[in-house]
Amino acid sequence: FIIDYLIVSFLSLVVVYLLGTFGVVDFTPFAEYFSLAQNNPTLEDMMNDEAVRGILEQMIATLSIWVSVTFILYFSILEKLYGATLGKKAFNIRVYSLRTGQNLSWNSAILRTILFYIGINFLPAIPFIGGILFLITVLLATRDPLFKRTLYDIVAGTVVGSLPNQGRKY
């Protein structure tokens, strides 16, 4: 996941830059931020500046949308077409449809990705319910003796497994 997260982070910056170049994303807050950063000698001065806080909120709002879109597209497309993201491929891990044993359908790939994204980004922010859902997910993964599936895998009808050994000698 760390490999995939680094790739998604880089791709998100490329996407935001390209969308800004074509006028889809407003680069004004970014330009204002860098202009103010040149005028403020320290990070503490910048954080005490109300104008900087407002600009940072605009930047985060813009980036959050496009990082989310990039994340969902990256995981959904790669897991649908190849059964694995680049990070999973690096460790010979693959996502299968539990029903067919083949690559995921578009519905399963998108549903699994959205549920996973919600799980890692929004559940931790919900004090009580988020903790309970996290514990249910961990409990399900530990109680499923055959597949060790998480809640989002159960809902999406998927299973994560290793790729078969393809003649490698260790």
Side-chain angles (χ1 to χ4, degrees):
F1 179 71
I2 293 170
I3 292 170
D4 289 326
Y5 191 78
L6 292 172
I7 292 169
V8 167
S9 298
F10 174 75
L11 289 174
S12 298
L13 292 175
V14 171
V15 166
V16 169
Y17 176 78
L18 290 175
L19 291 174
T21 303
F22 294 117
V24 177
V25 172
D26 182 18
F27 272 161
T28 307
F30 297 92
E32 289 176 11
Y33 174 79
F34 290 118
S35 172
L36 289 170
Q38 290 175 350
N39 297 333
N40 288 311
T42 67
L43 182 60
E44 185 178 346
D45 291 340
M46 286 186 64
M47 296 313 295
N48 289 328
D49 188 347
E50 285 295 323
V52 172
R53 280 196 219 137
I55 292 169
L56 284 174
E57 287 174 6
Q58 290 175 340
M59 289 170 58
I60 290 170
T62 299
L63 290 174
S64 296
I65 293 167
W66 295 109
V67 167
S68 299
V69 169
T70 305
F71 183 99
I72 290 169
L73 289 174
Y74 172 83
F75 278 88
S76 297
I77 291 170
L78 290 179
E79 288 180 353
K80 162 58 178 134
L81 298 178
Y82 305 107
T85 60
L86 297 174
K88 286 181 180 75
K89 280 185 179 274
F91 289 92
N92 284 340
I93 299 171
R94 183 183 162 142
V95 181
Y96 299 93
S97 168
L98 191 59
R99 288 180 218 102
T100 66
Q102 302 297 316
N103 283 355
L104 307 181
S105 67
W106 282 110
N107 289 343
S108 293
I110 293 168
L111 178 63
R112 181 181 191 279
T113 300
I114 289 173
L115 291 174
F116 175 66
Y117 186 76
I118 288 170
I120 64 171
N121 286 298
F122 299 111
L123 287 184
I126 305 171
F128 186 70
I129 296 172
I132 290 174
L133 286 174
F134 175 77
L135 289 175
I136 289 172
T137 297
V138 170
L139 183 62
L140 285 172
T142 59
R143 300 290 297 161
D144 185 358
L146 186 57
F147 297 118
K148 306 282 188 229
R149 296 188 310 156
T150 60
L151 186 58
Y152 57 87
D153 280 320
I154 291 170
V155 171
T158 60
V159 64
V160 177
S162 299
L163 289 172
N165 187 352
Q166 300 171 350
R168 293 189 191 125
K169 297 184 181 190
Y170 297 99

